[in-house]
Amino acid sequence: MSPRQTRPTSTGPRTPGRGPSRQPRKKRRNPWPRRIITGSGLLAVVAVLVWGAVAAIGALAGSRTPEDAQSAQSAPPVERDPASDLYGLAAGEELTADGIVDATGSVRVPDCPVSVLSLDAQASATQAGSPVPITTTIRNQGRSACLLSLDRAGLTVTTGDLLVFDSSRCEDGAADPTRLLLDPGAEWTGPVSWDGTVHDSGCGAASSGAAAEPGTYRASIILGQRTSGASSGGADAAQSTGTAGPGAQGQRETSGAGPEASVVFELLPAPAPVESAQS
């Protein structure tokens, strides 16, 4: 027979009622507090980097406070006074009712811009062969006193398609050198005359026996820059006369020039000579 195996017995003391001794188990730690602390640190680092980048961009672009940005947005655009171009104001000059005042307080009176002037003309029936006075009224509708030379007032006289007189074709010496000082709202009234004769080329020497014949005539006065020798549209103006009767008046703005006023009048035939009674 084979020998019988026996289970080894413990020689140490045994605790009654307990089995073999066991190793104590390790307690697992909670990882979330560490993760929260680590994530918060990373966010703080990112915030510092973003703040630094924004501060660097602001320093490069120039310091600008929110108040400056708000005031720049709320500031209204600066509008240029139309009078600056109309009256030719220079830097530091101001337009007043007396004229243009510069930085030193000196006042100068500018020439009248034609766009601030209004014009009216009137004429009465006149006997043929006599001078015809055309009563002209010029009014300053601007904001400042100004100077106006009467040689800027051009006169044309037509009948039908025939140009009888055109002052713009006259020599410079024939122009009226009178200068008017017009305050704001002030007006000047005076005569602009036609001698009652037909002139060669509008303002040449009077044609032989050139007293204008009786009939209907149209006088047009225009304010602008006087140009000696310039061609006139008198014939075209005559075509637009229509059937207006004596004393008819009108005013219109001419492109590229100043205001224009026209008046239609009659030249009357000379009265028949009265024969003396025979005794």
Side-chain angles (χ1 to χ4, degrees), residues 95-125:
L95 186 69
T96 69
D98 296 326
I100 298 174
V101 181
D102 61 17
T104 65
S106 300
V107 180
R108 64 180 177 87
V109 180
D111 290 335
C112 295
V114 292
S115 60
V116 305
L117 300 176
S118 65
L119 186 62
D120 181 64
Q122 296 182 359
S124 302

PDB file of all heavy atoms in Angstrom, residues 95-125:
ATOM      1  N   LEU A  95     -19.004 135.597 -43.167  1.00  0.00           N
ATOM      2  CA  LEU A  95     -19.932 136.425 -43.936  1.00  0.00           C
ATOM      3  C   LEU A  95     -20.895 137.126 -42.988  1.00  0.00           C
ATOM      4  O   LEU A  95     -21.547 136.494 -42.157  1.00  0.00           O
ATOM      5  CB  LEU A  95     -20.696 135.559 -44.931  1.00  0.00           C
ATOM      6  CG  LEU A  95     -21.609 136.309 -45.909  1.00  0.00           C
ATOM      7  CD1 LEU A  95     -20.777 137.122 -46.886  1.00  0.00           C
ATOM      8  CD2 LEU A  95     -22.509 135.333 -46.659  1.00  0.00           C
ATOM      9  N   THR A  96     -20.987 138.450 -43.116  1.00  0.00           N
ATOM     10  CA  THR A  96     -21.915 139.246 -42.303  1.00  0.00           C
ATOM     11  C   THR A  96     -22.762 140.111 -43.235  1.00  0.00           C
ATOM     12  O   THR A  96     -22.524 140.164 -44.449  1.00  0.00           O
ATOM     13  CB  THR A  96     -21.162 140.137 -41.301  1.00  0.00           C
ATOM     14  OG1 THR A  96     -20.458 141.167 -42.022  1.00  0.00           O
ATOM     15  CG2 THR A  96     -20.163 139.332 -40.489  1.00  0.00           C
ATOM     16  N   ALA A  97     -23.735 140.817 -42.646  1.00  0.00           N
ATOM     17  CA  ALA A  97     -24.592 141.697 -43.439  1.00  0.00           C
ATOM     18  C   ALA A  97     -23.814 142.867 -44.023  1.00  0.00           C
ATOM     19  O   ALA A  97     -24.209 143.435 -45.051  1.00  0.00           O
ATOM     20  CB  ALA A  97     -25.750 142.207 -42.589  1.00  0.00           C
ATOM     21  N   ASP A  98     -22.688 143.243 -43.399  1.00  0.00           N
ATOM     22  CA  ASP A  98     -21.880 144.363 -43.893  1.00  0.00           C
ATOM     23  C   ASP A  98     -20.841 143.939 -44.918  1.00  0.00           C
ATOM     24  O   ASP A  98     -20.256 144.791 -45.594  1.00  0.00           O
ATOM     25  CB  ASP A  98     -21.172 145.049 -42.722  1.00  0.00           C
ATOM     26  CG  ASP A  98     -22.149 145.691 -41.753  1.00  0.00           C
ATOM     27  OD1 ASP A  98     -23.192 146.187 -42.212  1.00  0.00           O
ATOM     28  OD2 ASP A  98     -21.873 145.681 -40.537  1.00  0.00           O
ATOM     29  N   GLY A  99     -20.562 142.668 -45.014  1.00  0.00           N
ATOM     30  CA  GLY A  99     -19.541 142.169 -45.933  1.00  0.00           C
ATOM     31  C   GLY A  99     -18.819 140.982 -45.321  1.00  0.00           C
ATOM     32  O   GLY A  99     -19.347 140.304 -44.428  1.00  0.00           O
ATOM     33  N   ILE A 100     -17.602 140.732 -45.781  1.00  0.00           N
ATOM     34  CA  ILE A 100     -16.807 139.607 -45.320  1.00  0.00           C
ATOM     35  C   ILE A 100     -15.783 140.118 -44.307  1.00  0.00           C
ATOM     36  O   ILE A 100     -14.997 141.016 -44.609  1.00  0.00           O
ATOM     37  CB  ILE A 100     -16.096 138.919 -46.502  1.00  0.00           C
ATOM     38  CG1 ILE A 100     -17.140 138.352 -47.480  1.00  0.00           C
ATOM     39  CG2 ILE A 100     -15.162 137.819 -46.022  1.00  0.00           C
ATOM     40  CD1 ILE A 100     -16.547 137.782 -48.738  1.00  0.00           C
ATOM     41  N   VAL A 101     -15.815 139.524 -43.103  1.00  0.00           N
ATOM     42  CA  VAL A 101     -14.914 139.920 -42.021  1.00  0.00           C
ATOM     43  C   VAL A 101     -13.811 138.864 -41.919  1.00  0.00           C
ATOM     44  O   VAL A 101     -14.099 137.671 -41.808  1.00  0.00           O
ATOM     45  CB  VAL A 101     -15.666 140.035 -40.683  1.00  0.00           C
ATOM     46  CG1 VAL A 101     -14.720 140.474 -39.575  1.00  0.00           C
ATOM     47  CG2 VAL A 101     -16.825 141.016 -40.815  1.00  0.00           C
ATOM     48  N   ASP A 102     -12.527 139.335 -41.940  1.00  0.00           N
ATOM     49  CA  ASP A 102     -11.420 138.390 -41.812  1.00  0.00           C
ATOM     50  C   ASP A 102     -11.003 138.265 -40.351  1.00  0.00           C
ATOM     51  O   ASP A 102     -11.624 138.834 -39.442  1.00  0.00           O
ATOM     52  CB  ASP A 102     -10.238 138.813 -42.699  1.00  0.00           C
ATOM     53  CG  ASP A 102      -9.677 140.181 -42.321  1.00  0.00           C
ATOM     54  OD1 ASP A 102      -9.963 140.653 -41.206  1.00  0.00           O
ATOM     55  OD2 ASP A 102      -8.963 140.772 -43.147  1.00  0.00           O
ATOM     56  N   ALA A 103      -9.926 137.497 -40.113  1.00  0.00           N
ATOM     57  CA  ALA A 103      -9.480 137.213 -38.748  1.00  0.00           C
ATOM     58  C   ALA A 103      -9.014 138.468 -38.019  1.00  0.00           C
ATOM     59  O   ALA A 103      -9.020 138.514 -36.783  1.00  0.00           O
ATOM     60  CB  ALA A 103      -8.366 136.167 -38.768  1.00  0.00           C
ATOM     61  N   THR A 104      -8.609 139.506 -38.751  1.00  0.00           N
ATOM     62  CA  THR A 104      -8.140 140.739 -38.113  1.00  0.00           C
ATOM     63  C   THR A 104      -9.272 141.717 -37.851  1.00  0.00           C
ATOM     64  O   THR A 104      -9.040 142.792 -37.285  1.00  0.00           O
ATOM     65  CB  THR A 104      -7.081 141.416 -38.989  1.00  0.00           C
ATOM     66  OG1 THR A 104      -7.682 141.829 -40.223  1.00  0.00           O
ATOM     67  CG2 THR A 104      -5.924 140.458 -39.277  1.00  0.00           C
ATOM     68  N   GLY A 105     -10.489 141.398 -38.283  1.00  0.00           N
ATOM     69  CA  GLY A 105     -11.622 142.298 -38.094  1.00  0.00           C
ATOM     70  C   GLY A 105     -11.871 143.227 -39.253  1.00  0.00           C
ATOM     71  O   GLY A 105     -12.811 144.028 -39.213  1.00  0.00           O
ATOM     72  N   SER A 106     -11.051 143.172 -40.293  1.00  0.00           N
ATOM     73  CA  SER A 106     -11.263 144.016 -41.469  1.00  0.00           C
ATOM     74  C   SER A 106     -12.456 143.514 -42.273  1.00  0.00           C
ATOM     75  O   SER A 106     -12.718 142.308 -42.343  1.00  0.00           O
ATOM     76  CB  SER A 106     -10.006 144.023 -42.343  1.00  0.00           C
ATOM     77  OG  SER A 106      -8.898 144.525 -41.624  1.00  0.00           O
ATOM     78  N   VAL A 107     -13.173 144.447 -42.887  1.00  0.00           N
ATOM     79  CA  VAL A 107     -14.370 144.113 -43.659  1.00  0.00           C
ATOM     80  C   VAL A 107     -14.135 144.476 -45.116  1.00  0.00           C
ATOM     81  O   VAL A 107     -13.668 145.574 -45.425  1.00  0.00           O
ATOM     82  CB  VAL A 107     -15.604 144.874 -43.122  1.00  0.00           C
ATOM     83  CG1 VAL A 107     -16.848 144.518 -43.941  1.00  0.00           C
ATOM     84  CG2 VAL A 107     -15.820 144.576 -41.648  1.00  0.00           C
ATOM     85  N   ARG A 108     -14.453 143.564 -45.999  1.00  0.00           N
ATOM     86  CA  ARG A 108     -14.414 143.845 -47.431  1.00  0.00           C
ATOM     87  C   ARG A 108     -15.775 143.490 -48.027  1.00  0.00           C
ATOM     88  O   ARG A 108     -16.430 142.528 -47.592  1.00  0.00           O
ATOM     89  CB  ARG A 108     -13.295 143.078 -48.129  1.00  0.00           C
ATOM     90  CG  ARG A 108     -13.445 141.556 -48.107  1.00  0.00           C
ATOM     91  CD  ARG A 108     -12.285 140.881 -48.832  1.00  0.00           C
ATOM     92  NE  ARG A 108     -12.350 139.439 -48.771  1.00  0.00           N
ATOM     93  CZ  ARG A 108     -13.013 138.671 -49.630  1.00  0.00           C
ATOM     94  NH1 ARG A 108     -13.666 139.247 -50.637  1.00  0.00           N
ATOM     95  NH2 ARG A 108     -13.033 137.365 -49.496  1.00  0.00           N
ATOM     96  N   VAL A 109     -16.188 144.279 -49.002  1.00  0.00           N
ATOM     97  CA  VAL A 109     -17.486 144.058 -49.644  1.00  0.00           C
ATOM     98  C   VAL A 109     -17.256 143.254 -50.925  1.00  0.00           C
ATOM     99  O   VAL A 109     -16.535 143.705 -51.816  1.00  0.00           O
ATOM    100  CB  VAL A 109     -18.180 145.395 -49.963  1.00  0.00           C
ATOM    101  CG1 VAL A 109     -19.530 145.146 -50.626  1.00  0.00           C
ATOM    102  CG2 VAL A 109     -18.354 146.217 -48.694  1.00  0.00           C
ATOM    103  N   PRO A 110     -17.863 142.085 -51.040  1.00  0.00           N
ATOM    104  CA  PRO A 110     -17.633 141.249 -52.225  1.00  0.00           C
ATOM    105  C   PRO A 110     -18.487 141.697 -53.406  1.00  0.00           C
ATOM    106  O   PRO A 110     -19.427 142.493 -53.261  1.00  0.00           O
ATOM    107  CB  PRO A 110     -18.060 139.858 -51.750  1.00  0.00           C
ATOM    108  CG  PRO A 110     -19.148 140.149 -50.760  1.00  0.00           C
ATOM    109  CD  PRO A 110     -18.744 141.429 -50.061  1.00  0.00           C
ATOM    110  N   ASP A 111     -18.125 141.199 -54.600  1.00  0.00           N
ATOM    111  CA  ASP A 111     -18.986 141.386 -55.759  1.00  0.00           C
ATOM    112  C   ASP A 111     -20.260 140.568 -55.570  1.00  0.00           C
ATOM    113  O   ASP A 111     -20.260 139.514 -54.936  1.00  0.00           O
ATOM    114  CB  ASP A 111     -18.270 140.950 -57.040  1.00  0.00           C
ATOM    115  CG  ASP A 111     -17.152 141.904 -57.411  1.00  0.00           C
ATOM    116  OD1 ASP A 111     -17.223 143.080 -57.015  1.00  0.00           O
ATOM    117  OD2 ASP A 111     -16.188 141.463 -58.076  1.00  0.00           O
ATOM    118  N   CYS A 112     -21.352 141.050 -56.146  1.00  0.00           N
ATOM    119  CA  CYS A 112     -22.633 140.358 -56.003  1.00  0.00           C
ATOM    120  C   CYS A 112     -22.652 139.087 -56.844  1.00  0.00           C
ATOM    121  O   CYS A 112     -22.474 139.153 -58.074  1.00  0.00           O
ATOM    122  CB  CYS A 112     -23.786 141.258 -56.440  1.00  0.00           C
ATOM    123  SG  CYS A 112     -24.030 142.728 -55.417  1.00  0.00           S
ATOM    124  N   PRO A 113     -22.865 137.917 -56.242  1.00  0.00           N
ATOM    125  CA  PRO A 113     -23.111 136.722 -57.056  1.00  0.00           C
ATOM    126  C   PRO A 113     -24.443 136.887 -57.787  1.00  0.00           C
ATOM    127  O   PRO A 113     -25.429 137.324 -57.192  1.00  0.00           O
ATOM    128  CB  PRO A 113     -23.173 135.582 -56.025  1.00  0.00           C
ATOM    129  CG  PRO A 113     -22.566 136.146 -54.765  1.00  0.00           C
ATOM    130  CD  PRO A 113     -22.859 137.606 -54.801  1.00  0.00           C
ATOM    131  N   VAL A 114     -24.469 136.572 -59.066  1.00  0.00           N
ATOM    132  CA  VAL A 114     -25.703 136.793 -59.834  1.00  0.00           C
ATOM    133  C   VAL A 114     -26.848 135.928 -59.321  1.00  0.00           C
ATOM    134  O   VAL A 114     -28.020 136.269 -59.497  1.00  0.00           O
ATOM    135  CB  VAL A 114     -25.461 136.522 -61.336  1.00  0.00           C
ATOM    136  CG1 VAL A 114     -24.542 137.570 -61.929  1.00  0.00           C
ATOM    137  CG2 VAL A 114     -24.914 135.128 -61.565  1.00  0.00           C
ATOM    138  N   SER A 115     -26.529 134.822 -58.628  1.00  0.00           N
ATOM    139  CA  SER A 115     -27.589 133.941 -58.153  1.00  0.00           C
ATOM    140  C   SER A 115     -28.375 134.538 -56.995  1.00  0.00           C
ATOM    141  O   SER A 115     -29.452 134.034 -56.659  1.00  0.00           O
ATOM    142  CB  SER A 115     -26.996 132.595 -57.739  1.00  0.00           C
ATOM    143  OG  SER A 115     -26.056 132.755 -56.699  1.00  0.00           O
ATOM    144  N   VAL A 116     -27.879 135.614 -56.362  1.00  0.00           N
ATOM    145  CA  VAL A 116     -28.616 136.241 -55.255  1.00  0.00           C
ATOM    146  C   VAL A 116     -29.346 137.497 -55.712  1.00  0.00           C
ATOM    147  O   VAL A 116     -29.918 138.211 -54.883  1.00  0.00           O
ATOM    148  CB  VAL A 116     -27.678 136.569 -54.069  1.00  0.00           C
ATOM    149  CG1 VAL A 116     -26.934 135.343 -53.612  1.00  0.00           C
ATOM    150  CG2 VAL A 116     -26.719 137.699 -54.417  1.00  0.00           C
ATOM    151  N   LEU A 117     -29.339 137.794 -57.002  1.00  0.00           N
ATOM    152  CA  LEU A 117     -29.974 138.996 -57.529  1.00  0.00           C
ATOM    153  C   LEU A 117     -31.269 138.648 -58.246  1.00  0.00           C
ATOM    154  O   LEU A 117     -31.361 137.624 -58.939  1.00  0.00           O
ATOM    155  CB  LEU A 117     -29.033 139.715 -58.503  1.00  0.00           C
ATOM    156  CG  LEU A 117     -27.685 140.176 -57.930  1.00  0.00           C
ATOM    157  CD1 LEU A 117     -26.831 140.771 -59.034  1.00  0.00           C
ATOM    158  CD2 LEU A 117     -27.886 141.187 -56.793  1.00  0.00           C
ATOM    159  N   SER A 118     -32.275 139.484 -58.046  1.00  0.00           N
ATOM    160  CA  SER A 118     -33.506 139.383 -58.830  1.00  0.00           C
ATOM    161  C   SER A 118     -33.606 140.612 -59.726  1.00  0.00           C
ATOM    162  O   SER A 118     -33.028 141.663 -59.430  1.00  0.00           O
ATOM    163  CB  SER A 118     -34.725 139.268 -57.925  1.00  0.00           C
ATOM    164  OG  SER A 118     -34.905 140.450 -57.177  1.00  0.00           O
ATOM    165  N   LEU A 119     -34.350 140.470 -60.802  1.00  0.00           N
ATOM    166  CA  LEU A 119     -34.361 141.510 -61.841  1.00  0.00           C
ATOM    167  C   LEU A 119     -35.771 141.695 -62.353  1.00  0.00           C
ATOM    168  O   LEU A 119     -36.534 140.735 -62.511  1.00  0.00           O
ATOM    169  CB  LEU A 119     -33.429 141.086 -62.980  1.00  0.00           C
ATOM    170  CG  LEU A 119     -33.159 142.085 -64.115  1.00  0.00           C
ATOM    171  CD1 LEU A 119     -32.475 143.326 -63.579  1.00  0.00           C
ATOM    172  CD2 LEU A 119     -32.294 141.435 -65.179  1.00  0.00           C
ATOM    173  N   ASP A 120     -36.130 142.970 -62.637  1.00  0.00           N
ATOM    174  CA  ASP A 120     -37.428 143.291 -63.218  1.00  0.00           C
ATOM    175  C   ASP A 120     -37.238 144.422 -64.214  1.00  0.00           C
ATOM    176  O   ASP A 120     -36.354 145.281 -64.034  1.00  0.00           O
ATOM    177  CB  ASP A 120     -38.429 143.697 -62.131  1.00  0.00           C
ATOM    178  CG  ASP A 120     -39.799 144.002 -62.716  1.00  0.00           C
ATOM    179  OD1 ASP A 120     -40.423 143.075 -63.263  1.00  0.00           O
ATOM    180  OD2 ASP A 120     -40.238 145.169 -62.633  1.00  0.00           O
ATOM    181  N   ALA A 121     -38.030 144.413 -65.284  1.00  0.00           N
ATOM    182  CA  ALA A 121     -37.920 145.444 -66.319  1.00  0.00           C
ATOM    183  C   ALA A 121     -39.313 145.907 -66.725  1.00  0.00           C
ATOM    184  O   ALA A 121     -40.253 145.110 -66.809  1.00  0.00           O
ATOM    185  CB  ALA A 121     -37.163 144.914 -67.531  1.00  0.00           C
ATOM    186  N   GLN A 122     -39.436 147.210 -66.998  1.00  0.00           N
ATOM    187  CA  GLN A 122     -40.694 147.797 -67.457  1.00  0.00           C
ATOM    188  C   GLN A 122     -40.390 148.852 -68.518  1.00  0.00           C
ATOM    189  O   GLN A 122     -39.349 149.508 -68.477  1.00  0.00           O
ATOM    190  CB  GLN A 122     -41.459 148.434 -66.296  1.00  0.00           C
ATOM    191  CG  GLN A 122     -41.912 147.456 -65.232  1.00  0.00           C
ATOM    192  CD  GLN A 122     -42.690 148.123 -64.131  1.00  0.00           C
ATOM    193  OE1 GLN A 122     -42.890 149.344 -64.133  1.00  0.00           O
ATOM    194  NE2 GLN A 122     -43.155 147.341 -63.167  1.00  0.00           N
ATOM    195  N   ALA A 123     -41.285 148.959 -69.477  1.00  0.00           N
ATOM    196  CA  ALA A 123     -41.139 149.972 -70.538  1.00  0.00           C
ATOM    197  C   ALA A 123     -42.529 150.404 -70.996  1.00  0.00           C
ATOM    198  O   ALA A 123     -43.491 149.628 -70.930  1.00  0.00           O
ATOM    199  CB  ALA A 123     -40.325 149.436 -71.701  1.00  0.00           C
ATOM    200  N   SER A 124     -42.615 151.622 -71.468  1.00  0.00           N
ATOM    201  CA  SER A 124     -43.887 152.169 -71.942  1.00  0.00           C
ATOM    202  C   SER A 124     -43.802 152.436 -73.442  1.00  0.00           C
ATOM    203  O   SER A 124     -42.718 152.493 -74.031  1.00  0.00           O
ATOM    204  CB  SER A 124     -44.220 153.477 -71.207  1.00  0.00           C
ATOM    205  OG  SER A 124     -44.286 153.259 -69.809  1.00  0.00           O
ATOM    206  N   ALA A 125     -44.957 152.562 -74.040  1.00  0.00           N
ATOM    207  CA  ALA A 125     -45.004 152.892 -75.460  1.00  0.00           C
ATOM    208  C   ALA A 125     -44.309 154.233 -75.681  1.00  0.00           C
ATOM    209  O   ALA A 125     -44.474 155.188 -74.911  1.00  0.00           O
ATOM    210  CB  ALA A 125     -46.453 152.940 -75.931  1.00  0.00           C
TER     211      ALA A 125
END
